[in-house]
Coordinates of all heavy atoms in Angstrom, one line a residue:
N1433 N 16.7 -148.2 -19.1 CA 15.5 -148.3 -19.9 C 15.4 -148.3 -21.3 O 16.6 -148.1 -21.9 CB 14.4 -147.1 -19.2 CG 14.9 -145.9 -19.7 OD1 15.3 -145.6 -20.9 ND2 15.0 -144.7 -18.9
A1459 N 21.7 -124.3 -52.5 CA 21.6 -125.0 -51.1 C 22.4 -126.4 -51.3 O 21.9 -127.2 -51.9 CB 20.3 -125.2 -50.8
K1463 N 21.9 -131.2 -52.2 CA 22.7 -132.3 -52.9 C 23.0 -133.5 -51.9 O 23.4 -134.5 -52.4 CB 23.8 -131.5 -53.5 CG 23.4 -130.5 -54.5 CD 24.6 -130.0 -55.3 CE 24.1 -128.8 -56.2 NZ 24.0 -127.5 -55.4
P1466 N 19.9 -137.9 -50.1 CA 19.6 -138.9 -51.2 C 18.3 -138.8 -51.8 O 17.9 -139.3 -52.9 CB 19.9 -140.2 -50.5 CG 20.8 -139.9 -49.4 CD 20.4 -138.6 -48.9
G1558 N 8.8 -156.7 -49.8 CA 9.5 -156.1 -48.6 C 9.0 -154.9 -48.3 O 8.7 -154.0 -49.1
L1573 N 1.0 -141.9 -57.9 CA 0.9 -141.7 -59.3 C -0.1 -142.5 -59.9 O -0.5 -142.5 -61.2 CB 2.2 -142.3 -60.0 CG 3.5 -141.4 -59.8 CD1 4.8 -142.2 -60.1 CD2 3.5 -140.2 -60.5
I1609 N 4.2 -145.8 -41.4 CA 3.8 -146.9 -42.3 C 2.4 -146.6 -42.5 O 1.9 -146.8 -43.7 CB 4.1 -148.3 -41.6 CG1 5.6 -148.5 -41.6 CG2 3.4 -149.3 -42.5 CD1 6.0 -149.7 -40.8
V1623 N 4.0 -163.4 -46.0 CA 4.0 -163.9 -47.3 C 5.5 -163.8 -47.8 O 6.2 -162.8 -47.7 CB 3.2 -163.0 -48.4 CG1 3.4 -163.6 -49.7 CG2 1.8 -163.0 -48.0
G1658 N 34.2 -172.6 -31.9 CA 33.3 -172.4 -30.8 C 32.1 -171.6 -31.2 O 31.2 -171.2 -30.5
I1743 N 29.4 -148.7 -22.2 CA 29.9 -149.7 -22.9 C 31.3 -149.6 -23.0 O 31.9 -148.6 -23.1 CB 29.4 -149.7 -24.5 CG1 27.9 -149.5 -24.5 CG2 30.0 -150.8 -25.3 CD1 27.1 -150.9 -24.4
A1872 N 4.8 -146.3 -70.7 CA 5.1 -146.7 -72.1 C 4.1 -147.8 -72.6 O 3.6 -147.8 -73.7 CB 6.5 -147.2 -72.3

Side-chain angles (χ1 to χ4, degrees):
N1433 69 43
K1463 297 188 184 83
L1573 290 167
I1609 295 173
V1623 179
I1743 305 283

